[in-house]
Amino acid sequence: MTPLQRPSPISASIDFDADGVQHGFLRLPYSRDDSAWGSVMIPITVVKRGDGPTALLTGGNHGDEYEGPVALFDLARRLRADAVQGRVIIVPAMNYPAFRAGTRTSPIDRGNLNRSFPGRPDGTVTEKIADYFQRTLLPLADIVLDFHSGGRTLDFLPYAAAHELPDKEQEKRCFDAVAAFSAPYSMRMIEIDAVGMYDTAAEAMGKVFVTTELSGGGTSSARTVGIAKRGVMNVLKHAGIVAGVPETSPTRWLDMPSSDCFRFAEDDGLVESCVDLGDVVHVGDVIARIHPVGRTGQAPAEYRAALDGVLAARHFPGLIKTGDCLAVVATVEEKTESEN
């Protein structure tokens, strides 16, 4: 028996096929010093009524990103079975150990869940969680919404996003769902490293996949939580699971077409932002400086935009290390929300 043929050690305390509202756990056995027969208990809610599409809604893929967990814990409490046609699976904090620790990666194994797919049933705790999503939850879903923000190290314009895909019909369905989410910004993305991502796993199965980046800094705000709450209901309406028309508002379409969008620090030091999020930049504009902090009297290193666009993301802490992402510039698409 190969590792991928072995059953998952995770068991669900809810029945995915039963109608009604169920609150329970995904229980992953985890023996440790303070609990010999202990478990990681990942909260889950399933709301189901009759036949229809399934939405898989997730947050806390990284443990220091909070708009998704706030919106999804709230939705799990409020969503009634008589309000849906089909099924909604809600996991507010996928990487639950990281979420409880307030860290991007798991404190148990340092696992980055969003780089651990397809996972292993006999691997680390993080790999076991990825394997359960890969083999059990994703196959149940028709549409997947995975909330992200910048965590403690990045700050983003609030946007919903999907990826450019080889299957253009699937790509269109993904971007239609992005438009329905109706964030202030909507992004077409090409990942610089898509290996091991939850996104990639879902897209490879042909699912409609939508993600977000809703600000960051390791916190949330009333504005960004409001965007998340409205967006998730819009996606459920778009999928036909909840009745009604999505409550849309104008969105500005952006594109991250290549690695030229990204600027990475080649110096340690103190960050000086020279433009703010959403500001227009042109090729050659200075977008940030990094000041050396070992002594006074030294000139800062200047970092310039490699393309025209707007500042879509920035390093959040005041100090930076070589290799950290310093800034992201996105290009502006001409099409408007009404053309999607």
Side-chain angles (χ1 to χ4, degrees), residues 54-337:
T54 292
L56 175 58
L57 310 176
T58 54
N61 193 327
H62 296 129
D64 60 350
E65 302 173 2
Y66 296 109
E67 282 81 3
V70 172
L72 294 181
F73 274 112
D74 181 71
L75 181 67
R77 177 179 59 86
R78 293 188 298 105
L79 190 62
R80 306 185 317 274
D82 61 9
V84 309
Q85 185 64 51
R87 178 170 52 186
V88 182
I89 301 171
I90 306 170
V91 185
M94 292 174 70
N95 194 342
Y96 196 64
F99 172 72
R100 290 302 300 266
T103 54
R104 180 176 178 84
T105 62
S106 173
I108 296 172
D109 55 22
R110 310 318 309 175
N112 180 342
L113 182 57
N114 211 31
R115 299 297 186 274
S116 298
F117 282 81
R120 293 176 59 94
D122 61 345
T124 66
V125 165
T126 302
E127 289 172 331
K128 289 173 182 176
I129 295 171
D131 170 73
Y132 187 82
F133 274 83
Q134 177 84 32
R135 292 197 292 158
T136 301
L137 294 186
L138 281 175
L140 297 176
D142 299 292
I143 186 167
V144 182
L145 171 58
D146 184 39
F147 281 102
H148 285 264
S149 58
R152 291 188 292 179
T153 63
L154 290 170
D155 192 18
F156 286 89
L157 290 175
Y159 64 77
H163 297 99
E164 294 187 9
L165 300 172
D167 183 334
K168 294 306 175 183
E169 191 279 330
Q170 180 189 5
E171 179 185 284
K172 182 181 184 303
R173 290 186 287 122
C174 292
F175 282 111
D176 286 347
V178 169
F181 187 100
S182 193
Y185 294 85
S186 298
M187 182 77 75
R188 296 178 62 88
M189 296 179 67
I190 297 176
E191 293 287 348
I192 56 175
D193 179 15
V195 176
M197 294 184 72
Y198 182 45
D199 317 40
T200 306
E203 291 159 355
M205 294 183 189
K207 310 300 182 181
V208 174
F209 186 87
V210 177
T211 189
T212 71
E213 295 290 357
L214 300 177
S215 195
T219 187
S220 63
S221 68
R223 177 174 180 251
T224 54
V225 167
I227 293 167
K229 287 183 177 182
R230 188 185 72 157
V232 69
M233 289 304 298
N234 279 347
V235 168
L236 292 177
K237 291 174 182 177
H238 172 75
I241 297 172
V242 171
V245 177
E247 299 176 6
T248 60
S249 57
T251 186
R252 190 176 189 187
W253 283 85
L254 304 175
D255 197 353
M256 289 168 54
S258 72
S259 59
D260 285 343
C261 297
F262 299 86
R263 295 309 315 268
F264 294 94
E266 299 178 6
D267 308 89
D268 294 351
L270 175 67
V271 176
E272 176 192 354
S273 295
C274 299
V275 294
D276 289 326
L277 290 177
D279 284 354
V280 174
V281 298
H282 300 285
V283 173
D285 286 352
V286 176
I287 54 178
R289 298 185 181 94
I290 297 179
H291 294 264
V293 294
R295 60 179 299 165
T296 59
Q298 294 182 309
E302 293 188 335
Y303 290 78
R304 298 176 182 272
L307 39 69
D308 295 340
V310 298
L311 188 70
R314 68 182 183 95
H315 186 75
F316 188 78
L319 297 177
I320 197 166
K321 296 178 180 178
T322 301
D324 289 350
C325 183
L326 174 63
V328 179
V329 174
T331 60
V332 180
E333 294 194 4
E334 293 301 322
K335 64 184 179 182
T336 65
E337 181 266 345

Side-chain angles (χ1 to χ4, degrees), residues 1-26:
M1 180 179 290
T2 67
L4 292 183
Q5 291 173 324
R6 294 173 182 153
S8 171
I10 294 177
S11 59
S13 67
I14 45 84
D15 180 351
F16 291 105
D17 296 322
D19 280 2
V21 177
Q22 302 173 76
H23 303 291
F25 297 95
L26 304 175

Side-chain angles (χ1 to χ4, degrees), residues 11-53:
S11 59
S13 67
I14 45 84
D15 180 351
F16 291 105
D17 296 322
D19 280 2
V21 177
Q22 302 173 76
H23 303 291
F25 297 95
L26 304 175
R27 187 179 70 83
L28 169 58
Y30 171 50
S31 179
R32 54 194 189 272
D33 288 342
D34 64 346
S35 186
W37 285 5
S39 301
V40 175
M41 304 289 280
I42 304 171
I44 185 171
T45 292
V46 176
V47 182
K48 184 178 182 298
R49 183 170 73 94
D51 297 326

